[in-house]
Amino acid sequence: MVVRRYRLPRGVGGGALAVTASLVAAAATGCAAPEEPPPDPAGAVRGAADVLVRSGSSKASTAMEMASGGTRVTIRGEGGYDFRRRTGHLRVVLPTDASGASPHRPITELLTPGALYMKNRGAGVPADKWVRVDTTTLDDGNLVTGGATDPGAAAELLRGAREVTYVGETELAGVKVRHYRGVADIAAAARAAAPQLRGALTAAAKGFSTDAVPFDAYLDGDGRLRKVRHRFSFSNQGRTVAVSSTTLLYGFGTRILVTLPHERDIYAGKVEV
């Protein structure tokens, strides 16, 4: 800011000087220094999973976008997650068809360490039965199979963050957040992950066509992960499929209850995943 000096006319007293001083102070306020970037962007992103564990739990919204037959479709989910127990629940809604009607009922998903439970899974499964899938046997470790990335796994994946840059400060749902961009190494994340999720991420490290997963992460002033967008790439029948998965976290401290189905309510037949 440039401040010019003017000679006051004779007879102009202290009142005018006070007003001038106030205007200069106001102008100086408008010339605030730009925000200082965080000293360790990679450290902030890698530590986000630990901050979520200390926070306890939150509500969650998910969106998974992928190309299908030349059309981009989006699968959406709503629910909550307990980062200490590594359990959560989601109601996943499949995309509508060309007529605007949904061909499938919403899928209820229960997320637990090492297992995914799904109701209304379809593909010959009785309506009153649940399907249980061992996530450590999935090629993607349930990062994309369930139509939503497990919020715990989404955060743990950031433990393998590298090439992290600080993009800047922005606002998300009325909350100021810091935006980071980088690449997550699935194998590195699996080695550093919490024991409950290590098996699924280890499987994912072997199943994806590349270990490198580009991401955009948004952390609030307390270091909590508010939003993360991962871009996965995997092979399917000889062609590469790109999937973008976004997880939003909010309502921290919300009580999350997960009741697992009884063994008699779990479908014992073969299920295609």
Side-chain angles (χ1 to χ4, degrees):
M1 180 184 69
V2 177
V3 179
R4 296 181 178 177
R5 295 182 179 274
Y6 294 93
R7 184 182 298 275
L8 293 176
R10 183 174 296 177
V12 176
L17 288 173
V19 172
T20 303
S22 297
L23 291 174
V24 171
T29 302
C31 298
E35 179 200 2
E36 288 292 328
D40 183 12
V45 172
R46 291 173 188 151
D50 289 329
V51 177
L52 289 177
V53 172
R54 292 195 294 270
S55 299
S57 60
S58 76
K59 294 181 180 179
S61 295
T62 65
M64 186 166 287
E65 300 177 10
M66 64 192 75
S68 176
T71 303
R72 184 162 291 276
V73 298
T74 303
I75 302 172
R76 301 190 182 277
E78 293 285 343
Y81 196 85
D82 187 319
F83 292 95
R84 292 175 182 166
R85 294 184 173 88
R86 313 288 179 178
T87 60
H89 60 82
L90 290 171
R91 182 178 183 269
V92 177
V93 180
L94 301 179
T96 58
D97 60 19
S99 67
S102 177
H104 303 285
R105 290 175 297 174
I107 299 173
T108 300
E109 296 188 359
L110 304 180
L111 310 166
T112 68
L116 168 66
Y117 296 82
M118 294 179 285
K119 194 172 186 179
N120 295 335
R121 178 63 175 79
V125 180
D128 61 339
K129 295 293 184 180
W130 290 82
V131 171
R132 182 187 184 279
V133 179
D134 183 345
T135 54
T136 65
T137 65
L138 297 175
D139 288 343
D140 69 303
N142 192 36
L143 291 175
V144 299
T145 290
T149 302
D150 180 317
E156 293 289 332
L157 193 54
L158 294 177
R159 293 188 187 274
R162 53 185 173 83
E163 301 175 24
V164 181
T165 59
Y166 175 58
V167 179
E169 189 177 86
T170 186
E171 192 170 290
L172 183 65
V175 177
K176 284 188 177 181
V177 293
R178 284 180 164 179
H179 178 191
Y180 300 87
R181 182 170 292 150
V183 177
D185 185 307
I186 304 178
R191 290 191 295 269
Q196 301 95 320
L197 297 174
R198 192 171 297 157
L201 288 179
T202 299
K206 299 175 182 177
F208 280 97
S209 57
T210 174
D211 270 357
V213 180
F215 70 83
D216 284 87
Y218 301 79
L219 276 58
D220 65 17
D222 294 321
R224 297 177 299 192
L225 183 66
R226 290 280 184 157
K227 175 182 177 180
V228 61
R229 181 172 182 260
H230 293 107
R231 291 175 290 282
F232 300 104
S233 176
F234 62 95
S235 297
N236 183 21
Q237 297 180 347
R239 64 188 181 93
T240 300
V241 179
V243 177
S244 173
S245 177
T246 302
T247 303
L248 289 169
L249 303 175
Y250 57 99
F252 290 94
T254 300
R255 189 181 183 191
I256 305 300
L257 297 177
V258 176
T259 302
L260 298 182
H262 194 278
E263 194 67 32
R264 64 173 176 270
D265 295 322
I266 297 176
Y267 180 63
K270 185 177 180 180
V271 179
E272 296 294 333
V273 294

